[in-house]
Amino acid sequence: MKKPRSLLLLLAIAIALGISATGQAAGLKKGFYKKRCPQAEETVRSIVWKHVSTNSELPAKFLRLFFHDCFVRGCDASILIESTSNNTAEKDAGPNLSLAGFDVIEEVKTSLEKACPATVSCADIVALAARDSVSFQFDRLLWEVKTGRRDGTISRQSEALLDIPSPASNFSVLTGRFANKSLGVKDLVVLSGAHTIGVGHCNLFSQRLYNFTGKNAANDTDPTLDPTYAALLKTKCRSLADKTTTVEMDPGSSTDFDNHYYANLKEKKGLFVSDAALLTDQRSAKLVGKLLRPGDFFDAFRHSITRMGAIGVLTGTAGEIRNKCSVVNS
Ligand code: HEM
Ligand SMILES: *[C@@H]1O[C@H](CO)[C@@H](O)[C@H](O)[C@H]1NC(C)=O
Ligand SMILES: *[C@@H]1O[C@H](CO)[C@@H](O)[C@H](O)[C@H]1NC(C)=O
Ligand SMILES: *[C@@H]1O[C@H](CO)[C@@H](O)[C@H](O)[C@H]1NC(C)=O
Ligand SMILES: *[C@@H]1O[C@H](CO)[C@@H](O)[C@H](O)[C@H]1NC(C)=O
Ligand SMILES: *[C@@H]1O[C@H](CO)[C@@H](O)[C@H](O)[C@H]1NC(C)=O
Ligand SMILES: *[C@@H]1O[C@H](CO)[C@@H](O)[C@H](O)[C@H]1NC(C)=O
């Protein structure tokens, strides 16, 4: 009987990936640590809020860290693993530029290991830290984080390059990378709204200012970039060679988590080619218009980040609970 067997195989694959037929992550649940480590979520929140209160750039760091973790091998904290003499880890891939917040994650982990040894995964800490840090300015938690993720043991630089889209990506590359993680066009547009906080390095977009067609013309600027905004960016990023200057992705409110990203996009002030690309497809452009309504954005973000947080999770007895977030258990 060929059919039932292939069905069983499919089911086994779905379980192995931690994804059930409904697209929900199997095994994650609300308050997973309630009995095992009652103070777990409160400990993450209080340490994260302590740091965010003196460093308003941290929410952007944690939100991006969560994205990079989930897109490579699922949300398994593989992004936290340090390279060793025989392995170059994800965090040392090109797109890691400016990833940060590792020390705060490790501080949370150390505190939780004291309270409840070998119980709380680094993967859950990353998921909670993203939510908690972004929520600080609202003084309430913006989305629910189901827990029960376990930690992976593998982290490879090469995989980060295949899974994380480059800021030069066009719409079809972006949708391809997201579809690869079971995320749709709506998730792409909504999660890109994360660029309402944080900064980008000049070299990741300055070809739009100085060398867009690649012909080194005198004024080779991306015509889809607002000319006044392009001129302003040129005063900050002085040449193609500048790799150190950063600019706010949402000028003037780059530490406010709001839906202003979409207003910028509409005005042709998206920073990266990958941002501007969201206007190059009809359906996506329509979503951009819809997300200009604040209520729609917050609801949609809550939904899409929950889906992102379920990508390829390890649950049950898969993986391990790392003792230290930066190294796999020996
Ligand atoms: C759609 C594809 C995406 C691309 C191509 C992309 C690309 C980038 C790039 C190139 C940067 C600047 C890094 C630097 O210069 O240091 C950046 C920053 C950032 N990204 Fe994305 N990103 C994408 C999606 C996402 C998603 C899904 C999230 C989270 C849900 C996210 C959150 C952030 C945040 C918060 C920052 C600011 C980081 C900081 O201030 O250090 N991005 N992104
Ligand atoms: C090399 O990798 C193997 C597993 O792939 C690991 O067991 C071993 O400890 C590593 N050696 C060093 C020196 O990191
Ligand atoms: C990012 O990767 C580069 C090598 O590509 C490495 O030198 C750098 O330390 C890494 N940054 C972080 C924060 O791990
Ligand atoms: C998008 O970019 C990819 C990779 O650079 C390229 O192969 C493809 O032709 C581009 N698609 C469009 C519609 O421009
Ligand atoms: C999908 O992901 C795999 C590895 O996880 C990668 O090899 C492949 O290039 C990706 N496909 C797209 C369309 O991004
Ligand atoms: C401008 O772009 C072209 C094509 O992408 C590239 O070959 C050239 O090296 C770039 N010029 C500079 C100065 O980076
Ligand atoms: C050069 O580009 C800027 C936008 O960056 C535009 O305002 C200006 O008119 C352009 N100059 C010429 C000579 O095309």
Side-chain angles (χ1 to χ4, degrees):
M1 291 270 284
K2 203 169 170 225
K3 252 189 177 163
R5 202 184 292 155
S6 57
L7 251 176
L8 263 179
L9 185 66
L10 262 178
L11 193 66
I13 292 172
I15 291 169
L17 290 172
I19 297 165
S20 76
T22 60
Q24 288 283 96
L28 292 185
K29 61 183 230 183
K30 190 179 168 181
F32 178 82
Y33 297 110
K34 211 165 185 174
K35 288 211 181 89
R36 292 160 238 245
C37 186
Q39 67 270 56
E41 294 197 19
E42 174 57 24
T43 301
V44 180
R45 192 195 56 75
S46 69
I47 294 177
V48 167
W49 280 18
K50 177 187 77 182
H51 285 279
V52 174
S53 71
T54 60
N55 180 358
S56 59
E57 289 168 9
L58 263 185
K61 307 300 175 197
F62 284 133
L63 195 53
R64 184 159 184 248
L65 196 62
F66 188 36
F67 166 50
H68 283 221
D69 185 29
C70 292
F71 263 61
V72 190
R73 286 194 169 262
C75 317
D76 68 343
S78 52
I79 189 69
L80 304 180
I81 297 173
E82 298 278 1
S83 294
T84 57
S85 56
N86 62 4
N87 179 56
T88 306
E90 282 167 33
K91 71 183 287 204
D92 288 325
N96 78 354
L97 191 68
S98 84
L99 284 180
F102 297 99
D103 50 342
V104 177
I105 301 283
E106 209 67 79
E107 182 183 335
V108 171
K109 178 63 174 172
T110 304
S111 169
L112 285 174
E113 281 303 297
K114 277 196 195 114
C116 330
T119 305
V120 183
S121 69
C122 298
D124 278 338
I125 296 173
V126 169
L128 291 164
R131 188 266 314 265
D132 294 349
S133 60
V134 169
S135 298
F136 175 77
Q137 69 179 102
F138 299 90
D139 204 25
R140 68 185 167 83
L141 302 178
L142 285 192
W143 62 88
E144 181 182 286
V145 174
K146 291 200 167 77
T147 43
R149 294 171 189 77
R150 290 170 60 88
D151 299 324
T153 54
I154 299 169
S155 178
R156 296 198 211 291
Q157 176 191 42
S158 55
E159 293 178 346
L161 300 173
L162 293 173
D163 288 323
I164 308 278
S166 113
S169 303
N170 59 30
F171 186 74
S172 59
V173 168
L174 292 173
T175 48
R177 297 281 168 122
F178 273 62
N180 219 358
K181 304 296 160 189
S182 303
L183 297 177
V185 170
K186 183 161 186 199
D187 297 310
L188 167 65
V189 179
V190 169
L191 291 171
S192 294
H195 289 177
T196 184
I197 53 174
V199 296
H201 285 73
C202 288
N203 58 308
L204 302 179
F205 59 86
S206 54
Q207 96 285 358
R208 298 186 78 194
L209 306 177
Y210 298 113
N211 193 22
F212 187 66
T213 64
K215 287 175 194 146
N216 278 322
N219 202 16
D220 195 4
T221 305
D222 182 346
T224 69
L225 192 57
D226 173 77
T228 310
Y229 190 51
L232 175 70
L233 289 174
K234 285 178 184 176
T235 67
K236 299 177 190 272
C237 305
R238 307 307 291 248
S239 78
L240 283 171
D242 182 348
K243 294 185 174 173
T244 51
T245 307
T246 58
V247 305
E248 298 173 289
M249 294 193 286
D250 179 5
S253 81
S254 70
T255 58
D256 290 330
F257 188 81
D258 56 23
N259 69 334
H260 198 243
Y261 170 79
Y262 302 99
N264 291 338
L265 274 191
K266 279 263 159 182
E267 292 170 6
K268 300 178 29 174
K269 294 176 184 168
L271 193 60
F272 300 123
V273 166
S274 62
D275 296 314
L278 302 180
L279 295 177
T280 63
D281 169 85
Q282 225 180 5
R283 196 177 142 217
S284 165
K286 213 171 148 189
L287 283 166
V288 169
K290 203 164 131 44
L291 292 162
L292 288 168
R293 290 197 292 264
D296 286 14
F297 170 64
F298 284 103
D299 282 348
F301 197 82
R302 186 182 308 134
H303 189 73
S304 288
I305 195 122
T306 302
R307 287 163 55 76
M308 189 182 92
I311 297 172
V313 291
L314 303 169
T315 57
T317 55
E320 62 182 20
I321 301 296
R322 235 173 265 156
N323 301 321
K324 194 170 184 293
C325 291
S326 58
V327 287
V328 300
N329 296 346
S330 48

